[in-house]
Amino acid sequence: MQQLLKRLKDIHHISEETQEHLLAAFTQVVLPKNEYLIEEGRTCRHLYFLEQGCLRGFYNLDGKEITHWFGFENDFVTSFHSFITQTPAVENIQLMEGSVLWSISKETLTKLLDEHQEVERLLRIAYEKYYIRLEGRFVNSQFRTATERYEQLLQENSQIVERVPLGYIASYLGISQETLSRVRSRL
Amino acid sequence: MQQLLKRLKDIHHISEETQEHLLAAFTQVVLPKNEYLIEEGRTCRHLYFLEQGCLRGFYNLDGKEITHWFGFENDFVTSFHSFITQTPAVENIQLMEGSVLWSISKETLTKLLDEHQEVERLLRIAYEKYYIRLEGRFVNSQFRTATERYEQLLQENSQIVERVPLGYIASYLGISQETLSRVRSRL
DNA sequence: TTCCATTTTTGACAACAGTCAAAAATCTGC
DNA sequence: GCAGATTTTTGACTGTTGTCAAAAATGGAA
């Protein structure tokens, strides 16, 4: 739980009192490999902090599974669209390893936001960070070739390459598994 | 200015008092076609509300201009990365039509955030909306063909097609101008 | 209206990436 | 350690898109 607290404090300063309330709001969840955290069609009522393990978000397109993001240690994960709008998720989130997570419900978070101005600010800053991170990924994905994207992944996110099956990485990069295999053998 | 107020109120309820402070914080800016709002390498110190007109964000990649987003009436625009982190912008923002904007500086916004909890919440909710909008665009851009992306643009954002030169749209969709021209002639 | 600059279209060709299919390698549970 | 399932690689072929170059169309200013 110290990990979660550290991550929160890295985003924005939190008073002792708010720290206590925040930590009390999270519940530990331990799940085995391949389990689903969120399933398509169901509304996502929790936000999770991933303490240990890794997972992927994917959706179905023309019968194929498209993995569009990965989560690792110290990430906050959920289907953001579903969690924010409280509408059914279009994606699935599945554990790629047995994982330890900390969960907070939408209601509890809303309550904290009302009661602690610091939490409101913390969340605003967290969204800022997440926004510009997504923007960076978007720009890179659209305007670089498959090989360039893989090379960049190797440099900036080598743990993905080490911990994730090639097929998932291929769809994450927006290319076929065969092409990725060839790109890799060329390097 | 009523347009700006309406847009803010659509995001989240604002008290009369906060409304006054908010509106007083914005300054009108009128700029002609082709003018730059933000230039690559300079740090962006303002957030803008676009009341009338349209503009594009683009950056240079291997000597080519890549337009990666457009702004139209009622959009909040800036180089978010530069504005949030206060580091030099990697992108340019250029007016595609003569435009009327309302500008707020980073310092003024920071002050408002400190003094009005409502503004903090409004901004948090705005980021939520912008985040899930970007997420949707990301998913579509990476996993659909050029033709599909253009068809979707026609359906969901026909004003882009009507108001923006084809060359800008092509790079927005991540394809060459020639390919877009052929896609269009086939429809 | 006319001229010039800009934007869009068309053609020919090359390169990159996708698909289908099968073989090879790797991982898992017993 | 073995058998079966899963994952990765390889091969042959196809199709889409990019590039370069030139022609056609469009738009704006005088």
Side-chain angles (χ1 to χ4, degrees):
Chain A
M1 205 148 201
Q2 284 311 305
Q3 243 173 282
L4 168 55
L5 187 58
K6 180 176 183 308
R7 182 74 168 79
L8 291 171
K9 282 159 137 182
D10 279 350
I11 297 171
H12 187 255
H13 171 267
I14 324 169
S15 70
E16 290 290 331
E17 192 219 336
T18 306
Q19 281 180 37
E20 276 175 39
H21 286 199
L22 257 173
L23 290 189
F26 283 88
T27 312
Q28 194 179 50
V29 182
V30 179
L31 289 171
K33 183 171 172 172
N34 294 328
E35 191 85 356
Y36 283 80
L37 196 61
I38 288 154
E39 276 172 280
E40 193 183 337
R42 305 189 60 169
T43 300
C44 178
R45 309 211 180 276
H46 293 83
L47 172 69
Y48 301 87
F49 173 75
L50 182 51
E51 181 180 303
Q52 179 57 49
C54 63
L55 41 75
R56 67 183 183 116
F58 71 92
Y59 60 93
N60 290 293
L61 184 71
D62 311 328
K64 275 185 198 157
E65 286 187 0
I66 307 283
T67 297
H68 60 124
W69 61 272
F70 299 110
F72 295 96
E73 282 80 10
N74 299 317
D75 279 336
F76 288 99
V77 298
T78 188
S79 167
F80 281 99
H81 187 280
S82 174
F83 182 73
I84 290 169
T85 63
Q86 289 292 294
T87 55
V90 293
E91 67 183 325
N92 305 274
I93 300 181
Q94 185 183 29
L95 304 203
M96 296 189 298
E97 296 176 3
S99 301
V100 179
L101 303 107
W102 293 89
S103 145
I104 183 171
S105 72
K106 177 96 178 175
E107 298 82 55
T108 308
L109 180 60
T110 303
K111 203 152 157 273
L112 281 174
L113 288 168
D114 285 338
E115 289 167 1
H116 300 273
Q117 201 167 352
E118 275 177 304
V119 177
E120 185 77 70
R121 173 155 299 185
L122 192 150
L123 191 58
R124 189 257 301 169
I125 294 172
Y127 275 123
E128 285 184 346
K129 287 181 194 287
Y130 273 65
Y131 185 85
I132 61 183
R133 194 175 73 169
L134 183 61
E135 207 177 48
R137 199 180 146 215
F138 172 65
V139 164
N140 274 310
S141 80
Q142 190 157 16
F143 304 108
R144 308 229 167 245
T145 66
T147 310
E148 285 171 345
R149 293 203 297 268
Y150 183 70
E151 281 171 346
Q152 181 160 357
L153 193 72
L154 275 178
Q155 284 179 354
E156 292 180 9
N157 253 317
S158 57
Q159 67 169 338
I160 293 187
V161 182
E162 285 149 22
R163 291 170 73 177
V164 176
L166 178 125
Y168 296 165
I169 297 176
S171 72
Y172 176 79
L173 293 173
I175 58 180
S176 75
Q177 177 170 321
E178 294 91 332
T179 297
L180 180 54
S181 174
R182 289 183 177 108
V183 162
R184 202 153 69 157
S185 72
R186 251 181 269 132
L187 296 180
Chain B
M1 205 146 202
Q2 285 311 304
Q3 243 173 280
L4 167 55
L5 187 59
K6 181 176 183 306
R7 181 73 169 79
L8 291 170
K9 281 160 136 183
D10 279 350
I11 297 170
H12 186 255
H13 171 268
I14 324 169
S15 71
E16 290 289 330
E17 192 218 338
T18 306
Q19 281 179 37
E20 277 174 41
H21 287 202
L22 258 173
L23 290 189
F26 284 87
T27 312
Q28 194 180 50
V29 182
V30 179
L31 289 171
K33 183 171 172 172
N34 293 328
E35 191 84 354
Y36 283 80
L37 197 60
I38 287 153
E39 277 172 279
E40 192 182 338
R42 306 189 57 170
T43 300
C44 178
R45 309 212 181 274
H46 293 84
L47 173 69
Y48 302 88
F49 173 74
L50 182 51
E51 181 181 302
Q52 179 58 49
C54 62
L55 40 75
R56 69 184 183 116
F58 71 94
Y59 60 94
N60 290 293
L61 183 71
D62 311 327
K64 275 185 200 159
E65 286 187 358
I66 306 284
T67 297
H68 60 126
W69 61 272
F70 298 111
F72 294 96
E73 282 80 9
N74 299 316
D75 279 338
F76 288 99
V77 298
T78 190
S79 166
F80 281 98
H81 188 279
S82 174
F83 182 73
I84 290 170
T85 63
Q86 288 294 293
T87 56
V90 294
E91 67 185 323
N92 306 274
I93 301 181
Q94 185 184 28
L95 304 203
M96 296 190 296
E97 296 176 4
S99 300
V100 179
L101 303 107
W102 293 88
S103 145
I104 183 171
S105 72
K106 177 93 177 177
E107 299 81 57
T108 308
L109 179 60
T110 304
K111 203 153 160 270
L112 280 175
L113 287 167
D114 285 339
E115 289 168 2
H116 300 274
Q117 200 166 354
E118 275 177 304
V119 177
E120 185 77 71
R121 173 155 299 184
L122 192 150
L123 191 59
R124 189 257 300 168
I125 294 173
Y127 275 123
E128 286 184 347
K129 287 180 194 286
Y130 272 66
Y131 185 85
I132 60 182
R133 194 175 73 168
L134 184 61
E135 207 178 48
R137 203 182 142 212
F138 173 65
V139 164
N140 274 309
S141 81
Q142 191 157 17
F143 304 108
R144 308 230 166 244
T145 66
T147 310
E148 285 170 345
R149 293 203 297 270
Y150 183 69
E151 281 171 346
Q152 182 160 357
L153 192 74
L154 275 178
Q155 286 179 353
E156 292 179 8
N157 253 318
S158 56
Q159 67 169 339
I160 292 187
V161 181
E162 286 149 21
R163 292 170 73 176
V164 176
L166 179 126
Y168 296 166
I169 297 176
S171 71
Y172 176 79
L173 293 173
I175 58 182
S176 74
Q177 179 170 319
E178 294 91 331
T179 298
L180 179 55
S181 173
R182 291 184 176 106
V183 162
R184 201 153 69 158
S185 72
R186 251 181 269 132
L187 295 179

